[in-house]
Amino acid sequence: MDLAIWDSPPAEFLVSGFASGAVSNPFRIKRHRPEECAALLVEDQVDVALMPTMLALQASNALDVIPGVGLVSWAYPYARLVWGGGLHDFPDTIAYDRRVAQERLVARIILHEHYRMDPTFVPYEGVAPTDLLDTGEDAALMVGPNVPFLDPELFSIDIGREWYELANYPMVWGLYATKRERATDEMIEALIASGEAADDNRDVWVQAQETSASLNEFYREDLRTGLDKLAIASLTEFRKYLFYYDVTEDVPDLPLVYLDEDEDEEEEQAER
């Protein structure tokens, strides 16, 4: 089976359980940008993909989402809104790479709901995060694996932490998805087990990385691999915002798929 994940350190942590030796890996893992992972799944070039949550929910009628595992965090240094003013001087225009649609939506929600600000988001094509500061816009939405290491000497806010402060739940950035009715028990079990093993081996993985003090704290304290009750509650809030902000026509379903044995247990309980 082929698995597409994001070419970013948080996604590597999500699958690090496979490298721990505690879990058997049935996948050939491919690494691409988040939107490319989604495209590979649509084009049947992979069996399962880590998809941006927004894209997975937009296509919920055609996908199944693997339960119990996902890319979840209380903060997210890989997505920052950067400008020169500060909270007393919000930007009127924000430059962003049009490929980061999910982060753009989260930033828009935060600015409107939390700060009562509605700046104009100006899309750019394939511009590096640091170069977005040179576009002439008032601010830049920086997203990518190098963002935590950038030091633009300007004021910035962490989009993940801002979501937590708005919703009181961690942000669910990515979900494992397959096309409808293509998930298998082997696939589900392996992905859930890998997420659990990543958590169990967190200290070993973090020690092997070259991280700053703030990133060390992110990986130890803020990054999660499980879709627990708080993550599901966050997804409920996010699904409502997708509707409120006209991203979807209705509040989208969360199409979780379960192991056959779990479905059998649910049917038995319903018959009692």
Side-chain angles (χ1 to χ4, degrees), residues 50-114:
L50 180 64
M51 291 184 66
T53 300
M54 186 182 81
L55 296 184
L57 293 174
Q58 283 180 290
S60 61
N61 291 335
L63 299 178
D64 283 329
V65 170
I66 306 301
V69 62
L71 188 59
V72 182
S73 71
W74 297 91
Y76 200 64
Y78 295 91
R80 292 164 53 192
L81 185 58
V82 181
W83 74 97
L87 294 179
H88 63 283
D89 184 18
F90 280 91
D92 292 323
T93 60
I94 298 174
Y96 75 103
D97 184 330
R98 66 170 64 249
R99 295 174 296 182
V100 299
Q102 175 167 270
E103 290 83 357
R104 181 256 185 187
L105 175 64
V106 175
R108 180 186 170 204
I109 292 170
I110 289 163
L111 289 172
H112 179 79
E113 303 291 337
H114 203 186

Coordinates of all heavy atoms in Angstrom, one line a residue, residues 50-114:
L50 N -2.4 11.7 4.1 CA -2.6 12.7 5.2 C -3.1 13.9 4.4 O -2.3 14.5 3.7 CB -1.3 12.9 5.9 CG -1.4 14.0 7.0 CD1 -2.3 13.5 8.2 CD2 0.0 14.3 7.6
M51 N -4.3 14.3 4.7 CA -4.9 15.4 4.0 C -5.2 16.6 4.9 O -5.5 16.3 6.1 CB -6.3 15.0 3.4 CG -6.2 14.0 2.2 SD -7.8 13.7 1.5 CE -8.2 15.3 0.8
P52 N -5.0 17.8 4.4 CA -5.4 18.9 5.3 C -6.9 18.7 5.7 O -7.7 18.3 4.8 CB -5.3 20.1 4.3 CG -4.2 19.7 3.4 CD -4.4 18.2 3.2
T53 N -7.2 19.0 6.9 CA -8.5 18.7 7.4 C -9.6 19.4 6.6 O -10.7 18.8 6.3 CB -8.6 19.2 8.9 OG1 -7.7 18.5 9.7 CG2 -10.0 18.9 9.5
M54 N -9.4 20.6 6.2 CA -10.4 21.3 5.4 C -10.7 20.6 4.1 O -11.8 20.4 3.7 CB -9.9 22.7 5.1 CG -10.9 23.6 4.4 SD -10.2 25.3 4.0 CE -9.3 24.9 2.5
L55 N -9.6 20.1 3.4 CA -9.9 19.4 2.1 C -10.6 18.1 2.4 O -11.5 17.7 1.6 CB -8.5 19.1 1.4 CG -7.7 20.4 1.0 CD1 -6.5 20.0 0.2 CD2 -8.6 21.3 0.1
A56 N -10.2 17.4 3.4 CA -10.9 16.1 3.7 C -12.4 16.3 4.0 O -13.2 15.6 3.6 CB -10.2 15.4 4.9
L57 N -12.7 17.4 4.7 CA -14.1 17.7 5.1 C -14.9 18.2 3.8 O -16.1 17.9 3.7 CB -14.2 18.7 6.2 CG -13.7 18.2 7.6 CD1 -13.7 19.3 8.6 CD2 -14.5 17.0 8.1
Q58 N -14.2 18.9 3.0 CA -14.9 19.4 1.8 C -15.3 18.2 0.9 O -16.3 18.3 0.2 CB -13.9 20.3 1.0 CG -13.8 21.7 1.6 CD -12.9 22.6 0.7 OE1 -11.7 22.4 0.7 NE2 -13.5 23.6 0.0
A59 N -14.5 17.2 0.9 CA -14.8 16.0 0.1 C -15.3 14.8 0.9 O -15.1 13.7 0.6 CB -13.5 15.6 -0.6
S60 N -16.0 15.1 2.0 CA -16.4 14.1 2.9 C -17.4 13.1 2.3 O -17.4 11.9 2.8 CB -17.1 14.7 4.2 OG -18.2 15.5 3.8
N61 N -18.1 13.5 1.3 CA -19.0 12.5 0.7 C -18.3 11.4 -0.2 O -18.9 10.4 -0.5 CB -20.0 13.2 -0.3 CG -21.0 14.1 0.5 OD1 -21.3 13.8 1.7 ND2 -21.5 15.1 -0.1
A62 N -17.0 11.7 -0.5 CA -16.3 10.8 -1.3 C -15.1 10.1 -0.6 O -14.4 9.2 -1.1 CB -15.7 11.5 -2.5
L63 N -14.9 10.4 0.7 CA -13.8 9.9 1.5 C -14.2 9.2 2.7 O -15.3 9.3 3.2 CB -12.9 11.0 1.9 CG -12.3 11.9 0.8 CD1 -11.4 13.0 1.4 CD2 -11.4 11.1 -0.2
D64 N -13.3 8.3 3.2 CA -13.4 7.8 4.6 C -12.2 8.3 5.3 O -11.1 8.4 4.8 CB -13.4 6.3 4.6 CG -14.7 5.7 4.1 OD1 -15.8 6.3 4.4 OD2 -14.7 4.6 3.5
V65 N -12.4 8.7 6.6 CA -11.3 9.2 7.5 C -11.0 8.1 8.5 O -11.9 7.5 9.1 CB -11.8 10.5 8.2 CG1 -10.8 10.9 9.2 CG2 -11.9 11.6 7.1
I66 N -9.7 7.8 8.6 CA -9.2 6.8 9.6 C -9.4 7.4 11.0 O -9.1 8.5 11.3 CB -7.7 6.5 9.4 CG1 -7.5 6.1 7.9 CG2 -7.2 5.5 10.3 CD1 -8.2 4.9 7.5
P67 N -10.0 6.6 11.9 CA -10.3 7.1 13.2 C -9.1 7.0 14.1 O -8.1 6.3 13.9 CB -11.4 6.2 13.7 CG -11.1 4.9 13.1 CD -10.5 5.3 11.7
G68 N -9.1 7.8 15.2 CA -8.2 7.6 16.3 C -6.8 8.2 16.1 O -6.0 8.1 17.0
V69 N -6.5 8.7 14.9 CA -5.2 9.2 14.6 C -5.3 10.4 13.7 O -6.1 10.5 12.8 CB -4.3 8.1 14.0 CG1 -4.8 7.6 12.7 CG2 -2.8 8.6 13.9
G70 N -4.4 11.4 13.9 CA -4.4 12.6 13.1 C -3.2 13.5 13.6 O -2.6 13.3 14.6
L71 N -3.1 14.6 12.8 CA -2.0 15.6 13.2 C -2.7 16.7 13.9 O -3.5 17.5 13.4 CB -1.4 16.1 11.9 CG -0.2 17.0 12.1 CD1 0.9 16.3 12.9 CD2 0.4 17.5 10.8
V72 N -2.5 16.7 15.2 CA -3.2 17.6 16.2 C -2.2 18.4 17.0 O -1.2 17.9 17.4 CB -4.1 16.8 17.1 CG1 -5.0 17.7 18.0 CG2 -5.0 15.8 16.3
S73 N -2.5 19.7 17.3 CA -1.6 20.4 18.1 C -2.3 21.6 18.8 O -3.3 22.1 18.3 CB -0.4 21.0 17.3 OG -0.9 22.0 16.4
W74 N -1.7 21.9 20.0 CA -2.1 23.1 20.7 C -1.5 24.4 20.3 O -1.9 25.5 20.6 CB -1.8 22.8 22.2 CG -2.6 21.7 22.8 CD1 -2.2 20.4 22.8 CD2 -3.9 21.7 23.4 NE1 -3.1 19.6 23.4 CE2 -4.2 20.3 23.7 CE3 -4.9 22.7 23.6 CZ2 -5.4 20.0 24.3 CZ3 -6.1 22.3 24.2 CH2 -6.3 21.0 24.6
A75 N -0.4 24.3 19.6 CA 0.3 25.4 19.0 C 0.8 24.9 17.6 O 0.8 23.6 17.4 CB 1.4 25.9 19.9
Y76 N 1.3 25.8 16.8 CA 1.8 25.3 15.5 C 2.8 26.3 14.9 O 2.4 27.2 14.2 CB 0.7 25.1 14.5 CG 1.0 24.1 13.4 CD1 1.3 22.8 13.6 CD2 1.0 24.6 12.1 CE1 1.6 21.9 12.6 CE2 1.3 23.7 11.0 CZ 1.6 22.4 11.3 OH 1.9 21.5 10.2
P77 N 4.1 26.2 15.3 CA 5.1 27.1 14.8 C 5.3 27.1 13.3 O 6.1 27.9 12.8 CB 6.3 26.8 15.6 CG 6.1 25.3 16.0 CD 4.7 25.2 16.2
Y78 N 4.7 26.1 12.6 CA 4.9 26.0 11.2 C 3.9 26.9 10.4 O 3.9 26.8 9.2 CB 4.8 24.6 10.8 CG 5.9 23.7 11.3 CD1 5.8 23.1 12.6 CD2 7.1 23.6 10.7 CE1 6.9 22.4 13.1 CE2 8.2 22.9 11.2 CZ 8.1 22.3 12.4 OH 9.1 21.6 13.0
A79 N 3.1 27.6 11.1 CA 2.2 28.6 10.5 C 2.1 29.8 11.3 O 1.6 29.8 12.4 CB 0.8 27.9 10.3
R80 N 2.6 30.9 10.8 CA 2.7 32.2 11.5 C 2.2 33.3 10.7 O 2.5 33.4 9.5 CB 4.1 32.5 12.0 CG 4.7 31.5 13.0 CD 6.2 31.6 13.1 NE 6.7 32.9 13.4 CZ 8.0 33.2 13.3 NH1 8.9 32.3 13.0 NH2 8.4 34.5 13.5
L81 N 1.5 34.2 11.3 CA 1.1 35.5 10.6 C 2.1 36.6 11.1 O 2.2 36.8 12.3 CB -0.3 35.8 11.0 CG -0.9 37.1 10.3 CD1 -0.9 36.9 8.8 CD2 -2.3 37.3 10.8
V82 N 2.8 37.2 10.2 CA 3.9 38.1 10.5 C 3.6 39.5 10.0 O 3.3 39.6 8.8 CB 5.2 37.6 9.9 CG1 6.4 38.5 10.3 CG2 5.5 36.1 10.4
W83 N 3.8 40.5 10.8 CA 3.7 41.9 10.3 C 4.4 42.8 11.3 O 4.9 42.4 12.3 CB 2.2 42.3 10.1 CG 1.4 42.6 11.4 CD1 1.1 43.8 11.9 CD2 0.7 41.6 12.2 NE1 0.3 43.7 13.0 CE2 0.0 42.3 13.2 CE3 0.5 40.2 12.1 CZ2 -0.8 41.7 14.1 CZ3 -0.3 39.6 13.0 CH2 -0.9 40.4 14.0
G84 N 4.5 44.1 10.9 CA 5.3 45.0 11.6 C 4.6 45.8 12.7 O 5.3 46.5 13.5
G85 N 3.3 45.7 12.9 CA 2.6 46.5 13.8 C 2.5 45.9 15.2 O 3.0 46.5 16.2
G86 N 1.8 44.8 15.3 CA 1.5 44.3 16.6 C -0.1 44.3 16.8 O -0.8 44.7 15.9
L87 N -0.5 43.9 18.0 CA -1.9 43.7 18.2 C -2.7 45.1 18.2 O -3.9 45.1 18.2 CB -2.2 43.0 19.5 CG -1.8 41.5 19.5 CD1 -2.0 40.8 20.8 CD2 -2.5 40.7 18.4
H88 N -1.9 46.2 18.3 CA -2.5 47.5 18.3 C -2.6 48.0 16.9 O -3.2 49.1 16.7 CB -1.7 48.5 19.2 CG -0.3 48.7 18.6 ND1 0.7 47.7 18.8 CD2 0.3 49.7 17.9 CE1 1.8 48.1 18.2 NE2 1.6 49.3 17.7
D89 N -2.1 47.3 15.9 CA -2.0 47.9 14.6 C -2.1 46.7 13.6 O -1.1 46.3 13.0 CB -0.7 48.7 14.4 CG -0.6 49.3 13.0 OD1 -1.7 49.5 12.4 OD2 0.5 49.7 12.6
F90 N -3.3 46.2 13.4 CA -3.5 45.1 12.5 C -3.3 45.4 11.0 O -3.6 46.6 10.6 CB -4.9 44.5 12.7 CG -5.0 43.6 13.9 CD1 -5.4 44.1 15.1 CD2 -4.7 42.2 13.8 CE1 -5.5 43.3 16.3 CE2 -4.8 41.4 15.0 CZ -5.2 42.0 16.2
P91 N -2.9 44.5 10.2 CA -2.6 44.7 8.8 C -4.0 44.8 8.0 O -5.0 44.2 8.4 CB -1.8 43.5 8.3 CG -2.3 42.4 9.3 CD -2.5 43.1 10.6
D92 N -3.9 45.6 6.9 CA -5.1 45.7 6.0 C -5.0 44.6 4.9 O -6.1 44.2 4.4 CB -5.2 47.1 5.4 CG -5.6 48.1 6.4 OD1 -6.4 47.8 7.3 OD2 -5.0 49.2 6.3
T93 N -3.8 44.2 4.5 CA -3.6 43.2 3.5 C -2.6 42.2 4.0 O -1.6 42.5 4.7 CB -3.1 43.9 2.2 OG1 -1.9 44.5 2.4 CG2 -4.1 44.9 1.7
I94 N -2.9 40.9 3.6 CA -2.0 39.8 4.0 C -1.6 39.0 2.8 O -2.5 38.5 2.1 CB -2.7 38.9 5.0 CG1 -3.0 39.7 6.3 CG2 -1.8 37.7 5.4 CD1 -3.9 38.9 7.3
A95 N -0.3 38.9 2.5 CA 0.2 38.0 1.4 C 0.2 36.6 1.9 O 0.6 36.3 3.0 CB 1.5 38.5 1.0
Y96 N -0.2 35.7 1.0 CA -0.1 34.3 1.3 C 0.1 33.5 0.0 O -0.3 33.9 -1.1 CB -1.3 33.8 2.1 CG -2.6 33.6 1.2 CD1 -3.0 32.3 0.8 CD2 -3.3 34.7 0.8 CE1 -4.2 32.2 0.0 CE2 -4.5 34.6 0.0 CZ -4.9 33.3 -0.3 OH -6.0 33.1 -1.1
D97 N 0.7 32.3 0.2 CA 0.8 31.3 -0.9 C -0.6 30.7 -1.1 O -1.1 30.1 -0.2 CB 1.9 30.3 -0.6 CG 2.2 29.3 -1.7 OD1 1.2 29.0 -2.5 OD2 3.3 28.8 -1.8
R98 N -1.1 30.8 -2.3 CA -2.5 30.3 -2.5 C -2.7 28.8 -2.3 O -3.8 28.3 -2.1 CB -3.0 30.6 -4.0 CG -2.2 29.9 -5.1 CD -3.0 30.1 -6.4 NE -3.0 31.4 -6.9 CZ -4.0 32.2 -6.9 NH1 -5.2 31.7 -6.5 NH2 -4.0 33.4 -7.4
R99 N -1.5 28.1 -2.1 CA -1.6 26.6 -1.9 C -2.0 26.4 -0.4 O -2.4 25.2 -0.1 CB -0.3 26.0 -2.2 CG 0.0 26.0 -3.7 CD 1.4 25.5 -4.0 NE 2.5 26.3 -3.4 CZ 3.8 26.0 -3.5 NH1 4.2 25.0 -4.2 NH2 4.7 26.8 -2.9
V100 N -1.8 27.3 0.5 CA -2.0 27.1 1.9 C -3.5 27.5 2.3 O -3.7 28.4 3.2 CB -1.0 27.7 2.8 CG1 0.4 27.2 2.5 CG2 -0.9 29.3 2.7
A101 N -4.4 26.9 1.6 CA -5.8 27.4 1.8 C -6.3 27.2 3.2 O -7.1 28.0 3.7 CB -6.7 26.6 0.8
Q102 N -5.9 26.1 3.8 CA -6.4 25.8 5.2 C -5.9 26.8 6.2 O -6.6 27.4 7.0 CB -6.0 24.4 5.6 CG -6.4 24.1 7.1 CD -6.2 22.6 7.4 OE1 -7.2 21.8 7.3 NE2 -5.0 22.2 7.8
E103 N -4.6 27.1 6.1 CA -4.0 28.0 7.1 C -4.6 29.4 6.8 O -4.8 30.2 7.8 CB -2.5 28.1 6.9 CG -1.8 26.8 7.4 CD -1.8 25.7 6.4 OE1 -2.4 25.8 5.3 OE2 -1.2 24.6 6.7
R104 N -4.9 29.8 5.6 CA -5.5 31.0 5.3 C -6.9 31.1 5.9 O -7.2 32.2 6.5 CB -5.5 31.2 3.7 CG -6.1 32.5 3.3 CD -7.6 32.4 2.8 NE -8.1 33.6 2.2 CZ -9.4 33.7 1.9 NH1 -10.2 32.7 2.0 NH2 -9.8 34.9 1.4
L105 N -7.6 30.1 5.8 CA -9.0 30.1 6.4 C -8.9 30.2 7.9 O -9.6 31.0 8.5 CB -9.7 28.8 6.0 CG -11.1 28.7 6.7 CD1 -12.1 29.8 6.3 CD2 -11.7 27.3 6.5
V106 N -8.0 29.4 8.6 CA -7.9 29.5 10.0 C -7.5 30.9 10.4 O -8.0 31.5 11.4 CB -6.8 28.5 10.5 CG1 -6.6 28.6 12.0 CG2 -7.3 27.1 10.2
A107 N -6.5 31.5 9.7 CA -6.1 32.9 10.0 C -7.3 33.9 9.9 O -7.5 34.8 10.7 CB -4.9 33.3 9.1
R108 N -8.1 33.7 8.8 CA -9.2 34.6 8.6 C -10.2 34.4 9.7 O -10.8 35.4 10.3 CB -9.9 34.2 7.3 CG -11.1 35.0 6.9 CD -11.8 34.5 5.7 NE -13.0 35.2 5.5 CZ -14.0 34.7 4.8 NH1 -13.9 33.5 4.2 NH2 -15.2 35.3 4.6
I109 N -10.5 33.2 10.2 CA -11.4 32.9 11.3 C -10.9 33.6 12.5 O -11.7 34.3 13.2 CB -11.6 31.4 11.5 CG1 -12.4 30.8 10.3 CG2 -12.4 31.1 12.8 CD1 -12.4 29.3 10.3
I110 N -9.7 33.4 12.8 CA -9.1 34.0 14.1 C -9.2 35.5 14.1 O -9.6 36.1 15.1 CB -7.6 33.5 14.2 CG1 -7.6 32.0 14.6 CG2 -6.9 34.3 15.3 CD1 -6.2 31.4 14.3
L111 N -8.8 36.1 13.0 CA -8.8 37.6 12.9 C -10.2 38.1 13.0 O -10.4 39.1 13.7 CB -8.1 38.0 11.6 CG -6.6 37.8 11.5 CD1 -6.1 38.1 10.1 CD2 -5.9 38.7 12.6
H112 N -11.2 37.5 12.4 CA -12.5 38.0 12.5 C -13.2 37.7 13.8 O -13.8 38.6 14.5 CB -13.4 37.3 11.4 CG -14.8 37.8 11.4 ND1 -15.2 39.0 10.9 CD2 -15.9 37.2 11.9 CE1 -16.5 39.1 11.1 NE2 -17.0 38.0 11.7
E113 N -13.1 36.4 14.3 CA -13.8 36.0 15.5 C -13.2 36.5 16.8 O -13.8 36.8 17.7 CB -13.9 34.5 15.5 CG -14.6 33.9 14.3 CD -16.1 34.2 14.3 OE1 -16.7 34.5 15.3 OE2 -16.7 34.1 13.1
H114 N -11.8 36.5 16.8 CA -11.1 36.8 18.0 C -10.8 38.3 18.1 O -10.8 38.9 19.2 CB -9.8 36.0 18.1 CG -9.3 35.8 19.4 ND1 -8.1 35.2 19.7 CD2 -9.8 36.1 20.6 CE1 -7.9 35.2 21.0 NE2 -8.9 35.7 21.6

